[in-house]
Structure formats: C-alpha cells, structure tokens
Amino acid sequence: MRFPGVVYAYYERKLRRSLAKDAIPRHIGVMVDGNRRWARLAGAPTADGHQAGADKILEFLGWCEELGVRVVTLYMLSTDNLNRDPDELEPLLGIIANTLDRLGEKGDLRVQPVGALEILPPELSEQLARLGESTASAAGLHVNVAIGYGGRREIVDAVKELLRDAQKQGKPIEEITEDLCDAQISEYLYTRGQPDPELVIRTSGEQRLSGFLMWQSAYSEFYFCEALWPDFRRVDFLRALRDYASRQRRFGS
C-alpha cells in the first residue's frame, strides 16, 4: 500500500473510533449529485458518470449498514430530471433499473419507492412496485429510492390523499379545515411512519435543497461536501457523521 493509502486508512479508523454509537443518525437523506460533472471531467460519456454514481450507491449503503444507520433516502431522479434530453434520460433510466435489480438481489434491504410512480415509464413504475412488495418484510436497512420525486408534489399528493380519505368518511369541509394540522399531513407523505432525516448530505459542492424532503427536513442538519458523488469516499462520509455529532441540534427553540 502506498504511503497516502496508509495515512487514509489510519485516519478512517481514527474517525470511526471517534463516533459514538448513539451519535449515528437513524435516518440519512442523500442527494447523489455530480455524476454528469464527474463524467465531463473524466472526458467520458454522461452515462459513465451515472453508472459510476450507481456503483457508489451500493458501496455507500454498505457503509451505512456497518455503522447501524436504519433508514437511507436516496435522491436518484427528480420530477425535473424527467425533462432531460432523451439521449441522456433513456440510458439513465436503464442504469436506475439495473441498480434496483442489484438492490433487490442483496436480499436483506427493504427498498421502498418514494415518488410519483404514475409519471414514470410503465416498466420502471412496475419494477419499483414489485421491488417494494417483494422486500417489504426485509429486516435490514430501509432504503427509500426517491425516483420521480419532487418535494412540492409530495406535499400536494399528501393533501389530496388526506382530502379524499376525509371525503370517503363523509366529513364536511369545515370539519376538515378545523382539524387539519401538520401531524395529519405527515401521515400521508411518501415516507409516512418513518423518522424524519436527522442528517441530509449533498455532494458536488452545491448548497441547495432542490425540493428534497422539504417537509421532513424541517429540523434536519445539512452537510455539503465538495466531492462529486462518484468520488465520495468512506472518509468523506465519516467526516459528515463527525460534523453531525458535534452539532447542538435545535428544534425551533
């Protein structure tokens, strides 16, 4: 092993030992950003960047399993991404489909679709539904795959479903509006029943939310990393966790 590799290995072990078990977030949201830029800098086709990013997802989930993270939400394809040029979008959808197969093959992951399946190509939508059903009883890491996801759409969909249920129960609009509260809306989100993310990580140096978990991240801690997603290393992840552990979390006070 070259000297820099020895130093990094030592640094990783030191970081890992510094993390108390109770300081590990239960739920981590990740904006896997920078695949296209990585490909451009490498002089490679855009699809190569998306594939490198997909490979990193499998590696990253392994790190989360090792550290005892319970839930991971991966921002893989936004509603806006569906408007990309077909020459880029078609290979990207194929890479996503292959990645879903790889997640299903692991056997211990509970994979939950998080997004508007109805706006996706039928084949991908059906694959996501099947994967969600087949892994629903898995006891391992809970992985939310945000595909065809938009934060504003999620909130609108939640309110629509809430209103439809109230209508089925014969509730008048006055009663619905009087009773409406944030806890009710939370019960209709795509991530209903899950803890909100304590930590949201975005790679590639961008510092914006881009519609990711807008409702759920109200009190999340954010960590922005300069590394492009395919270059994101275990040491970068450990640094994010160390930074999170050092913060004094506040919940509106």
Side-chain angles (χ1 to χ4, degrees):
M1 183 183 290
R2 292 180 300 174
F3 180 71
V6 173
V7 172
Y8 266 114
Y10 170 77
Y11 182 46
E12 272 192 17
R13 289 195 298 271
K14 184 178 179 180
L15 279 174
R16 177 65 185 91
R17 287 195 299 267
S18 72
L19 293 172
K21 188 175 181 180
D22 60 2
I24 302 297
R26 294 174 301 166
H27 182 175
I28 298 177
V30 188
M31 307 175 73
V32 295
D33 192 22
N35 295 339
R36 292 196 292 179
R37 206 178 317 165
W38 183 90
R40 186 166 61 250
L41 290 172
T46 300
D48 287 7
H50 291 312
Q51 184 60 61
D55 294 339
K56 181 61 64 175
I57 284 174
L58 276 295
E59 187 178 5
F60 175 78
L61 295 178
W63 303 337
C64 290
E65 289 177 304
E66 292 172 11
L67 291 165
V69 178
R70 289 168 48 195
V71 183
V72 175
T73 300
L74 299 164
Y75 201 8
M76 295 176 64
L77 186 77
S78 72
T79 51
D80 292 334
N81 292 156
L82 291 169
N83 296 321
R84 288 183 178 176
D85 188 292
D87 289 341
E88 178 185 354
L89 184 58
E90 187 173 345
L92 173 57
L93 293 176
I95 290 168
I96 288 174
N98 179 257
T99 304
L100 294 174
D101 285 338
R102 294 168 71 187
L103 293 176
E105 289 167 359
K106 284 183 62 66
D108 58 341
L109 300 179
R110 179 183 176 185
V111 184
Q112 179 175 333
V114 174
L117 299 190
E118 65 273 14
I119 68 174
L120 298 173
E123 299 83 0
L124 182 58
S125 177
E126 292 166 8
Q127 181 184 12
L128 281 164
R130 288 195 305 271
L131 184 58
E133 291 173 4
S134 65
T135 64
S137 60
L141 182 65
H142 188 144
V143 183
N144 296 316
V145 286
I147 298 173
Y149 177 87
R152 290 180 175 177
R153 180 170 186 130
E154 178 180 25
I155 296 169
V156 171
D157 284 351
V159 173
K160 284 182 177 180
E161 188 177 354
L162 185 156
L163 293 174
R164 282 195 293 266
D165 281 356
Q167 185 180 42
K168 290 176 183 176
Q169 297 168 24
K171 291 183 179 181
I173 188 65
E174 293 81 5
E175 182 181 346
I176 297 170
T177 54
E178 182 66 26
D179 293 343
L180 188 62
C181 64
D182 57 354
Q184 281 185 306
I185 293 176
S186 294
E187 292 173 358
Y188 287 89
L189 296 173
Y190 301 148
T191 57
R192 66 195 74 177
Q194 302 177 26
D196 288 339
E198 290 95 345
L199 175 64
V200 175
I201 298 172
R202 180 166 189 162
T203 55
S204 86
E206 301 293 344
Q207 298 188 24
R208 59 180 184 275
L209 196 54
S210 298
F212 183 51
L213 300 179
M214 293 169 61
W215 183 281
Q216 299 91 328
S217 64
Y219 296 109
S220 301
E221 299 294 328
F222 291 86
Y223 184 85
F224 300 103
C225 179
E226 291 295 324
L228 304 176
W229 175 247
D231 290 330
F232 190 69
R233 303 164 300 175
R234 190 170 187 269
V235 71
D236 296 315
F237 183 42
L238 292 172
R239 282 171 176 163
L241 295 178
R242 180 186 62 181
D243 183 82
Y244 167 81
S246 71
R247 299 183 190 184
Q248 181 180 354
R249 301 194 67 205
R250 295 180 175 85
F251 300 88
S253 59

